[in-house]
Amino acid sequence: MKPPVDGRLDALRGSSPRLSYNARSLAALENNPRCTLRALLDASGSDKAAIAAHIGYPSPFGQSSFAFARGNAFEAMVKDNGCAELLRVLRETLKLTLPEVAYLDLNEVGGAGDNDARHRRTTEVLLEAARGNGEGTLFDHPLLHLQVGGEGAFLEPDLVAFRIDGRFYIVEIKSFPIIDGQADPAQVRAATTQASAYIIALRALLAHHGMDTGAVSDTIVLVAPKDFTNRPTAAFVDARKQVAALTRQLSRIERVSDLVDLLPEDLTFDLDLDLTLPKKEQRPRRPAEELAAAVARVPATYRPDCLNHCEMAFHCRAHARAEASLDVLGPAVREQLGGIDTATMALGLARGQLTPTGDQSDMAAALRHAARLRDELTEAYGGAA
Amino acid sequence: MSMLSALAHVEAMQNMTAVRLTAFRHHRLSDRPLVIIPLTMAGEAGAPLAVMAGTARRDMTLLVVPQPRNRDQRFAFAADLGRVVMDYIDSYRQDRRGEGERSQYTDVPQIIVPNQGGVNALADLGRMCRFRSTTGPYAVPEVVPEFGMWLTFLVDTAEMAGTSMLLPLTALLTEHWATGQSTLEDQNLASLMAWIAPPRGVSIAQALEEAENPDVCPPAGPSTSPEFDNRDLAPAIKRFDTAHALGDPHTLAAAQTELTELIAGQVKPTWRLMWAAISILRSIPKAPQTARRLDRDCRLFTNHSDYRDAGGLPQRKRDTAISAARRLSQLERALADFEAAMAFDDPFVLADRRSGGEAFTGTVVESQPNRTAITAKNTTVPRPRVTVRTSDPLRLAAGTKLISPTMPKGHKAVIVSVLPDGDTTLVTVEVTAGMGRGRTPKAGSVPDLDKDIDYLPDPGWRPNPTFPDSDHTPWTHSADPDGPDDSAVPENAAAEEWGHDN
Ligand code: SF4
């Protein structure tokens, strides 16, 4: 008999401390829900960046200390004095009539790292509020719980939820600017995805206690710097679409326990860190080739978008390239060549060197036609670049 | 994407080399473009960090904002850059041709940035500058708002297909070449150039690896690499701030020099790469209709220049519903015209359209050169018909109006019928224009038997749609929903607040 899935996930992660879902892994979940490798790495709380680096493909994401400092400073400013600035924009920009406001920081419970205590406290407070009893209006740092692939994952949002007229709203504080009422769509999207996960988690919490999930709004409040200043402004963002999309993906995602069952029993992503050393001095002791071999045993579904979302991207791209997978070229080419997986096969069909299967015959004809056109052009105008 | 382009990318991937997508360069390249590389500070809303600008490989100016969070330094920088750019633009506001209404400048400026991010950075800079007041408590130098309005104009033109006054280099390159990587990776100038022209003695695979290593190829901006920020830039800015606080001119100068050199090290590789790319692009022959597009650029440029000369107000923060609709229709039309012109000029692009069934090439197998028809006005006109056999996967229907790059200018036809015939298709077309004024078509104006001929849809002349005047806009579509604090009036906007004035 295999050990229970929690134990298996811990074994996959090995010695390293467990990481929880963050903004990037949630975005990756939305953008590439079917990737087994990512699902397992995230569900087991493995450190993808450290693993990628150790096997020779350091992750493409660094964070500039400027962006970091600016983000923190902005958030601190918005939350300062019991969220005075936040309340100002809620009242002035969004024209909300807020009664007397009580601010509760849910971070102040339990010792650091005691997620269960924090989660219990969050639950308690939010349920009280939902019943209309509690005194809070603004809840900072609630610790929520999300089911991903049948497994629970803690979400540690840097956010405030506030309750007005009997509904909870998620507030996302971001440091990208809203210039003339418009912000970078990609960044708004990422922020909305993140908030959608919190909406889903908060609704699950209410549902679990037999309460109406409609008490959580699917409109989020985005708070960000106005124009080129440091002062915040706010906007409502309709998250309905992304809440629905994320819900769908969460329900479709294969059950992590099923994925785990398919793995060889001894498979692990363990880095074998020496935990007796201070954190900064911990170096992976596991041979890189061995770890790389373990990673390579798990199927991954690379797409160029991974470069924006997943720490493993350089590794997975190298594999996709080695297999001549059309995934390397991205969705536009993939769509055009539906049903064909590799460059080798596409060119084989285009040159008539491969016999198409039944459902490939239309595609093969189109490819041969395109190849003939290219040949004519090459003949008339010379070859490659 | 068409089947042909998809195949080109697959070939590029398999053979590890860039594959040509066009025979011509469809954008004009100026003899004296102004190359600009904008860098911004991570996390800071539109805060410029530095810019390198110049009209020749060996003639560059590097401007740096030592403390990007400082408002005065930002605008001193904007003024310096503004003078460089305005000198360049003004050099094109000298020679006019034509009289009265039709008078226009004979050439236009051309700014080239590395990528779309560069265009966006200039858009932010334009927005930051154009409403600034040159008087009052937050006064900025005269050139700042003027520069802002010009930048905004240039950024607006860049959205219109076929214009060439502000161009991202990566877009020019990907128009001509397919690489074996994704669109996302093509936005990295160094990766793109690794496919097209890897450094001498370096394989494409190795060049690609280097292109993604910020220590070998610093990013082309506008963001700098986080490693550079943390390792080099942050300490250097700190030293500058300390020197600034101490007020010792000697240390301050040293700190400033250090910063400038650091940043120069980050931009120079991109600078060299951009000029290398420009020189490669210049070697590609330009498409015949580029000249016509230059004429449109001259018109746009002249209009804006005259508007500026008349002291016009800065562009609004947001379009009204009507001007947004008008603009959208202009952009759509420009795109349709540009795509048709490319296919008309360029056999590669035509082939691309053919592979998608939106154009066809074939051989004339039947011809009725003397066919006539009687018009509604009861006159007899020549209406020859020809039938073309093509093996292209045609998807055009009867009634589609056509033009042909293989026929003399003015030739127009319309599809009468499309009949499959074995592996091929028989397309019968009726010639409708380009035959002269006589009762019989002039020589050469009707395709001969056995002739190979290309046809593609006529983007056609469309009337300019009419839009209501602004007064008639329903209130639901009026601009500025943000209320009075978001006024587009420059005087009010000048009071915009600033944080972090340290
Ligand atoms: S980078 Fe690899 S592991 Fe990550 S989502 Fe993409 S395919 Fe999966």
Side-chain angles (χ1 to χ4, degrees):
Chain A
M1 234 196 76
K2 300 212 177 196
V5 62
D6 266 347
R8 284 288 287 131
L9 289 175
D10 286 342
L12 274 181
R13 186 180 67 251
S15 54
S16 319
R18 188 186 175 92
L19 300 183
S20 56
Y21 275 82
N22 59 20
R24 182 172 300 129
S25 43
L26 286 171
L29 179 63
E30 194 201 6
N31 286 281
N32 201 345
R34 297 202 168 273
C35 177
T36 306
L37 179 58
R38 204 217 63 256
L40 287 172
L41 288 167
D42 284 343
S44 61
S46 299
D47 185 343
K48 291 186 299 229
I51 293 174
H54 191 48
I55 61 178
Y57 295 98
S59 106
F61 312 109
Q63 192 181 23
S64 164
S65 54
F66 299 127
F68 193 70
R70 159 88 177 185
N72 285 346
F74 182 72
E75 190 182 328
M77 190 262 285
V78 171
K79 287 184 176 175
D80 216 19
N81 270 329
C83 294
E85 271 296 284
L86 175 60
L87 291 170
R88 185 187 64 79
V89 292
L90 292 178
R91 288 188 172 123
E92 289 176 14
T93 314
L94 301 181
K95 311 267 186 287
L96 296 175
T97 330
L98 296 174
E100 274 301 285
V101 169
Y103 167 77
L104 273 179
D105 190 344
L106 298 169
N107 206 5
E108 290 159 2
V109 207
D114 188 355
N115 282 342
D116 289 321
R118 278 183 61 200
H119 181 58
R120 266 199 310 279
R121 169 82 174 139
T122 298
T123 311
E124 215 171 278
V125 168
L126 292 181
L127 286 178
E128 265 315 274
R131 293 190 187 104
N133 300 333
E135 34 160 356
T137 318
L138 291 169
F139 308 94
D140 201 354
H141 301 114
L143 186 69
L144 299 170
H145 205 247
L146 184 72
Q147 289 285 317
V148 184
E151 300 304 312
F154 282 116
L155 296 183
E156 277 208 77
D158 257 339
L159 91 161
V160 181
F162 81 98
R163 191 162 174 278
I164 177 174
D165 293 340
R167 300 195 88 188
F168 288 103
Y169 289 81
I170 300 289
V171 179
E172 279 285 354
I173 301 169
K174 292 289 171 194
S175 59
F176 57 79
I178 299 182
I179 297 177
D180 299 336
Q182 283 176 317
D184 176 5
Q187 293 192 295
V188 174
R189 204 178 115 88
T192 316
T193 298
Q194 211 178 331
S196 299
Y198 305 144
I199 292 175
I200 293 172
L202 193 49
R203 285 184 173 169
L205 183 127
L206 295 184
H208 186 74
H209 293 86
M211 305 186 64
D212 178 15
T213 56
V216 184
S217 169
D218 40 24
T219 296
I220 64 166
V221 176
L222 176 65
V223 176
K226 178 175 161 55
D227 301 335
F228 303 98
T229 71
N230 259 342
R231 299 210 73 190
T233 184
F236 286 120
V237 181
D238 183 351
R240 253 175 311 177
K241 259 205 199 139
Q242 271 164 284
V243 168
L246 194 59
T247 309
R248 199 168 53 242
Q249 271 140 5
L250 285 171
S251 69
R252 261 207 256 143
I253 191 172
E254 275 152 274
R255 295 188 58 85
V256 170
S257 57
D258 293 347
L259 297 177
V260 169
D261 279 345
L262 296 174
L263 299 179
E265 247 178 281
D266 58 343
L267 188 89
T268 173
F269 305 128
D270 194 2
L271 286 160
D272 192 14
L273 301 176
D274 184 350
L275 299 177
T276 58
L277 294 174
K279 202 159 185 284
K280 283 207 155 162
E281 290 164 30
Q282 293 173 6
R283 300 271 176 275
R285 289 177 301 191
R286 185 159 184 213
E289 311 77 58
E290 197 186 299
L291 180 60
V295 171
R297 283 167 82 172
V298 183
T301 49
Y302 171 78
R303 50 191 66 181
D305 205 28
C306 291
L307 294 166
N308 286 331
H309 298 296
C310 185
E311 288 83 351
M312 303 298 292
F314 283 160
H315 162 267
C316 297
R317 185 180 64 184
H319 271 248
R321 279 182 182 162
E323 289 167 1
S325 162
L326 290 181
D327 289 331
V328 169
L329 295 175
V333 174
R334 280 243 72 149
E335 258 162 51
Q336 187 59 245
L337 300 176
I340 298 178
D341 291 329
T342 64
T344 335
M345 179 183 281
L347 292 176
L349 291 172
R351 292 179 191 137
Q353 295 155 346
L354 281 180
T355 321
T357 60
D359 16 320
Q360 283 175 341
S361 64
D362 284 354
M363 180 65 63
L367 269 170
R368 280 198 305 274
H369 176 258
R372 205 167 56 238
L373 292 183
R374 276 211 67 86
D375 287 347
E376 283 169 24
L377 291 167
T378 315
E379 213 169 285
Y381 296 89
Chain B
M1 177 170 302
S2 74
M3 187 55 94
L4 199 77
S5 319
L7 184 64
H9 283 280
V10 175
E11 273 175 13
M13 180 179 156
Q14 186 82 353
N15 304 335
M16 275 310 272
T17 176
V19 166
R20 188 153 80 160
L21 284 175
T22 64
F24 297 106
R25 169 164 52 71
H26 294 268
H27 282 94
R28 185 186 68 92
L29 272 183
S30 163
D31 292 336
R32 198 173 64 96
L34 178 64
V35 170
I36 298 185
I37 305 173
L39 295 184
T40 55
M41 179 152 177
E44 209 70 21
L49 169 65
V51 70
M52 186 172 268
T55 52
R57 190 192 296 256
R58 283 175 214 294
D59 172 24
M60 72 283 243
T61 308
L62 176 64
L63 300 169
V64 172
V65 193
Q67 176 43 274
R69 296 198 192 99
N70 180 299
R71 178 184 189 275
D72 294 338
Q73 290 185 25
R74 278 190 200 182
F75 283 109
F77 164 88
D80 288 344
L81 178 60
R83 279 184 277 271
V84 172
V85 174
M86 288 316 300
D87 279 352
Y88 174 73
I89 289 177
D90 286 342
S91 70
Y92 289 87
R93 294 162 90 185
Q94 311 293 331
D95 299 330
R96 282 181 95 118
R97 200 171 34 214
E99 292 298 315
E101 283 270 286
R102 312 191 49 170
S103 150
Q104 63 181 36
Y105 293 108
T106 52
D107 199 359
V108 295
Q110 177 172 69
I111 292 178
I112 301 182
V113 292
N115 45 36
Q116 183 58 39
V119 176
N120 300 346
L122 295 188
D124 281 350
L125 194 58
R127 164 62 181 82
M128 195 175 93
C129 292
R130 72 179 191 266
F131 297 112
R132 296 299 117 211
S133 172
T134 53
T135 56
Y138 292 105
V140 297
E142 291 275 336
V143 68
V144 170
E146 185 70 15
F147 171 49
M149 289 179 248
W150 272 101
L151 275 185
T152 304
F153 161 73
L154 292 169
V155 168
D156 284 347
T157 66
E159 283 178 33
M160 188 178 281
T163 59
S164 64
M165 287 182 273
L166 172 59
L167 294 169
L169 199 48
T170 48
L172 289 180
L173 294 166
T174 49
E175 188 174 286
H176 188 69
W177 281 284
T179 65
Q181 66 187 6
S182 67
T183 322
L184 182 77
E185 291 151 307
D186 277 349
Q187 284 164 27
N188 176 350
L189 180 65
S191 299
L192 187 54
M193 281 297 282
W195 284 94
I196 296 166
R200 202 185 297 270
V202 177
S203 74
I204 288 185
Q206 193 187 339
L208 277 174
E209 204 163 300
E210 288 173 0
E212 280 175 349
N213 178 349
D215 289 332
V216 185
C217 293
S223 330
T224 45
S225 97
E227 293 85 43
F228 169 75
D229 283 2
N230 302 345
R231 186 186 56 209
D232 305 316
L233 189 57
I237 290 184
K238 203 163 200 176
R239 279 193 287 280
F240 174 86
D241 283 344
T242 317
H244 198 73
L246 286 176
D248 168 23
H250 206 73
T251 350
L252 190 64
Q256 183 138 17
T257 311
E258 189 205 348
L259 248 176
T260 308
E261 276 168 12
L262 264 179
I263 291 173
Q266 290 290 296
V267 240
K268 273 188 185 155
T270 302
W271 181 261
R272 287 192 290 267
L273 202 57
M274 286 186 74
W275 286 99
I278 289 171
S279 107
I280 294 175
L281 284 165
R282 279 199 177 123
S283 68
I284 304 166
K286 67 170 193 271
Q289 290 183 69
T290 337
R292 226 179 63 189
R293 288 190 286 270
L294 172 60
D295 195 58
R296 180 182 61 184
D297 280 0
C298 289
R299 172 96 329 252
L300 291 168
F301 176 68
T302 307
N303 287 348
H304 184 70
S305 177
D306 291 351
Y307 177 75
R308 292 300 333 128
D309 288 341
L313 285 174
Q315 298 92 334
R316 322 177 51 110
K317 288 183 178 177
R318 282 205 258 171
D319 275 349
T320 60
I322 290 173
S323 48
R326 185 178 295 135
R327 179 161 166 76
L328 191 64
S329 116
Q330 278 170 357
L331 294 182
E332 281 170 357
R333 181 167 180 166
L335 183 63
D337 287 346
F338 183 53
E339 285 180 343
M342 290 210 299
F344 194 89
D345 282 352
D346 192 321
F348 279 71
V349 183
L350 182 69
D352 205 74
R353 303 280 298 269
R354 285 170 61 193
S355 79
E358 296 162 28
F360 63 98
T361 295
T363 311
V364 178
V365 292
E366 214 182 294
S367 174
Q368 298 169 257
N370 299 320
R371 185 175 173 278
T372 58
I374 295 172
T375 66
K377 286 186 193 148
N378 221 4
T379 45
T380 308
V381 291
R383 281 294 177 266
R385 284 188 176 180
V386 295
T387 300
V388 178
R389 182 187 296 281
T390 176
S391 50
D392 292 342
L394 192 65
R395 288 196 309 172
L396 299 174
T400 308
K401 296 197 170 93
L402 302 171
I403 51 177
S404 169
T406 26
M407 294 299 291
K409 216 173 161 227
H411 178 89
K412 284 191 173 101
V414 59
I415 297 183
V416 177
S417 68
V418 180
L419 291 173
D421 183 35
D423 277 354
T424 63
T425 307
L426 291 172
V427 193
T428 302
V429 305
E430 184 168 305
V431 182
T432 54
M435 295 170 286
R437 303 190 148 266
R439 282 175 140 245
T440 50
K442 69 177 186 216
S445 67
V446 180
D448 294 328
L449 258 188
D450 296 329
K451 183 183 165 70
D452 290 335
I453 185 163
D454 305 326
Y455 274 118
L456 67 145
D458 183 0
W461 176 88
R462 276 144 299 159
N464 276 322
T466 48
F467 293 98
D469 292 338
S470 303
D471 302 357
H472 300 134
T473 330
W475 64 272
T476 45
H477 287 73
S478 66
D480 278 336
D482 294 358
D485 78 324
D486 212 30
S487 171
V489 181
E491 292 78 38
N492 299 350
E496 198 164 84
E497 294 161 74
W498 290 84
H500 268 328
D501 274 7
N502 53 356

